[in-house]
Amino acid sequence: MTRTAREVLADCEIALEMLEAEQDLGRWRVHWAGALALVRAVGHVLQKVDGADPRMRRQIDIAYRRWKSQKVSNAIFWEFIEEERNNILKEYRFNLHPLDHVDVAVMMTVRHPQSGELSQIPQVVPIGENIYRPVLDGYSEGNDARDVYREALDWWNAELTAIELALSKSSPTAADS
């Protein structure tokens, strides 16, 4: 089983809760660095700890080869989990909007009260209070970082489930588990 990798994944869920609740940008950034280290640790723990079992290791190797050969469909791993962790832990470079408040351009449609004529009014709206922390460029550019992190957690969950399923199908008997 992917028991230890799932423990790390459970801690990733806690990290996401912390990111959702934190208001202070400095503390948020520290939580983000930890969250990205954790989300990448799922794979390292999967390979090194859960993969100590040779049968499990075969399934992990098959999954990794699939991720590598299908980089587009596994872009969340290569372009976010791997790349963003490297950005922070190797260069301390954050791919996030750097300020407490993010200005967002919106187009408002208004109806004239007498004529009923519609017109559009451009407006810049500042968003604060930890509502929106956009990714600056690359994978999911413009999306809230926590939404991208959630996608990464969902991807890991699906991949761990697939590995566990493949292991259960490859096992000759339940007693081997």
Side-chain angles (χ1 to χ4, degrees):
M1 295 304 291
T2 60
R3 188 165 319 176
T4 310
R6 287 211 179 267
E7 285 180 36
V8 180
L9 188 57
D11 286 346
C12 289
E13 293 287 349
I14 295 168
L16 181 56
E17 289 175 19
M18 294 169 77
L19 288 165
E20 292 287 358
E22 185 58 60
Q23 297 285 321
D24 178 77
L25 181 60
R27 289 178 183 276
W28 196 94
R29 200 172 50 249
V30 170
H31 289 313
W32 183 247
L36 287 174
L38 280 170
V39 77
R40 184 58 185 97
V42 173
H44 290 294
V45 168
L46 176 67
Q47 183 181 42
K48 298 193 182 332
V49 179
D50 294 330
D53 174 335
R55 289 180 50 246
M56 174 64 75
R57 181 54 182 242
R58 278 191 296 279
Q59 297 306 320
I60 294 167
D61 289 345
I62 290 167
Y64 185 78
R65 284 193 300 272
R66 179 174 42 81
W67 303 338
K68 199 166 185 170
S69 69
Q70 300 171 3
K71 284 193 174 183
V72 172
S73 60
N74 294 290
I76 186 73
F77 178 77
W78 299 106
E79 297 175 25
F80 179 74
I81 295 170
E82 179 77 7
E83 191 171 316
E84 291 304 314
R85 187 281 315 246
N86 288 346
N87 286 343
I88 291 174
L89 296 184
K90 294 181 179 184
E91 301 175 28
Y92 208 64
R93 184 171 48 89
F94 291 80
N95 187 23
L96 302 168
H97 191 281
L99 304 176
D100 281 333
H101 291 81
V102 178
D103 290 335
V104 178
V106 296
M107 190 65 75
M108 294 178 51
T109 302
V110 295
R111 183 181 308 271
H112 190 276
Q114 280 85 28
S115 69
E117 181 182 336
L118 295 177
S119 58
Q120 293 195 334
I121 302 170
Q123 195 171 26
V124 175
V125 178
I127 299 178
E129 299 178 7
N130 195 35
I131 294 171
Y132 179 51
R133 302 244 189 241
V135 173
L136 291 178
D137 58 49
Y139 187 85
S140 289
E141 177 181 336
N143 289 341
D144 187 85
R146 290 156 301 199
D147 293 340
V148 182
Y149 192 78
R150 162 53 51 211
E151 181 184 344
L153 301 188
D154 292 345
W155 181 85
W156 268 127
N157 185 53
E159 291 301 318
L160 294 178
T161 300
I163 290 167
E164 292 163 349
L165 182 62
L167 182 65
S168 72
K169 288 181 177 180
S170 73
S171 95
T173 67
D176 290 342
S177 297

